[in-house]
């Protein structure tokens, strides 16, 4: 159980699903944690928005879509980075033009449909469809388009799905007082599935790991 620190899990407003808007501070008597997808703005902007909306904590989850962006000058996609966002050594597949038509490109905002077509261990995942071994070689069971191609189509590779440091935003002067954590796509998939199940009253708790002290003079 999560004990006395239990919080109800909630999602951002429908009109601001990436939680990048500005809000007037409000208070809530109910303890809640807001879960939001990575991307669209900085981690601290999301935390500040969640705090303003009355949340007691914010849970930011990784996504495939957040690894793409759009060059505002040229209008061209900025593709994920090799070895930073994905690693072809752990799985690679070539998506045909027909496969690509199932996706909404370029990625300009969080699109759960895109993410779902590049995730999982069944052939609904376009990478598994084109290379069945992908499901066993790629531990995340998720792939990212690389922006590169060959004579058969568009190359996609195994996506990293790791915890990351929530860097601060130096442009923000307001203080964020609520805790913020980052979870992986796999962890988020389980939470969001439970959240969508009306038969489950989902509560979460956030705890920090003990931090050992170091003797820097040793």
């Amino acid at each position: 159980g999560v004990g006395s620190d239990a919080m109800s899990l909630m999602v951002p407003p429908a009109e601001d699903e990436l939680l990048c808007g500005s809000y007037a501070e409000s208070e809530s008597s109910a303890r809640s944690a807001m879960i939001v997808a990575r991307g669209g703005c900085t981690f601290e902007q999301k935390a500040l928005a969640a705090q303003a909306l009355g949340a007691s904590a914010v849970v930011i989850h990784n996504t495939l879509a957040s690894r793409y962006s759009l060059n505002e000058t040229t209008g061209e996609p900025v593709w994920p980075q090799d070895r930073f966002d994905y690693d072809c050594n752990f799985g690679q597949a070539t998506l045909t033009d027909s496969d690509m038509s199932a996706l909404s490109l370029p990625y300009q905002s969080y699109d759960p449909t895109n993410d779902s077509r590049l995730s999982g261990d069944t052939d609904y995942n376009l990478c598994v469809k084109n290379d069945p071994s992908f499901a066993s070689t790629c531990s995340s069971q998720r792939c990212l388009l690389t922006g590169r191609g060959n004579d058969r189509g568009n190359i996609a590779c195994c996506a990293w799905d790791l915890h990351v440091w929530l860097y601060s935003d130096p442009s923000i002067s307001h203080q964020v007082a609520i805790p913020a954590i980052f979870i992986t796509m796999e962890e988020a998939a389980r939470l969001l599935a439970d959240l969508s199940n009306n038969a489950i009253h989902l509560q979460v708790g956030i705890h920090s790991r003990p931090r050992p002290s170091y003797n820097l003079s040793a």
Side-chain angles (χ1 to χ4, degrees), residues 5-94:
D5 293 327
M7 294 176 280
S8 297
L9 198 64
M10 60 187 292
V11 297
E15 66 276 10
D16 185 21
E17 61 181 353
L18 286 177
L19 203 58
C20 292
S22 297
Y23 300 93
E25 289 282 345
S26 63
E27 294 184 4
S28 173
S29 58
R31 286 179 56 78
S32 62
M34 188 168 289
I35 184 168
V36 59
R38 180 184 189 179
C41 57
T42 65
F43 296 132
E44 193 163 0
Q45 282 178 282
K46 294 177 185 291
L48 192 64
Q51 176 177 287
L53 289 169
S56 306
V58 62
V59 179
I60 301 171
H61 67 86
N62 201 13
T63 68
L64 295 174
S66 66
R67 310 325 308 135
Y68 305 83
S69 59
L70 202 66
N71 185 312
E72 296 182 359
T73 301
T74 65
E76 294 296 318
V78 178
W79 300 97
Q81 299 178 47
D82 185 18
R83 303 300 176 92
F84 182 79
D85 297 308
Y86 63 84
D87 193 327
C88 297
N89 291 323
F90 293 103
Q92 176 175 319
T94 300

Side-chain angles (χ1 to χ4, degrees), residues 75-130:
E76 294 296 318
V78 178
W79 300 97
Q81 299 178 47
D82 185 18
R83 303 300 176 92
F84 182 79
D85 297 308
Y86 63 84
D87 193 327
C88 297
N89 291 323
F90 293 103
Q92 176 175 319
T94 300
L95 276 58
T96 65
D97 289 342
S98 176
D99 294 326
M100 296 293 286
S101 68
L103 303 173
S104 172
L105 294 173
Y107 286 77
Q108 291 178 268
S109 62
Y110 175 56
D111 188 335
T113 302
N114 280 344
D115 280 30
S116 67
R117 292 311 312 269
L118 299 173
S119 303
D121 59 359
T122 71
D123 61 6
Y124 187 74
N125 179 344
L126 296 173
C127 285
V128 176
K129 172 190 171 187
N130 287 283

Side-chain angles (χ1 to χ4, degrees), residues 130-151:
N130 287 283
D131 181 1
S133 68
F134 185 89
S136 59
T137 62
C138 178
S139 61
S140 72
Q141 296 184 344
R142 292 167 169 83
C143 58
L144 285 165
L145 297 167
T146 65
R148 297 181 285 108
N150 55 32
D151 56 356

Side-chain angles (χ1 to χ4, degrees), residues 1-8 31 203-207:
V2 292
S4 60
D5 293 327
M7 294 176 280
S8 297
R31 286 179 56 78
Q203 291 188 309
V204 297
I206 295 177
H207 305 277

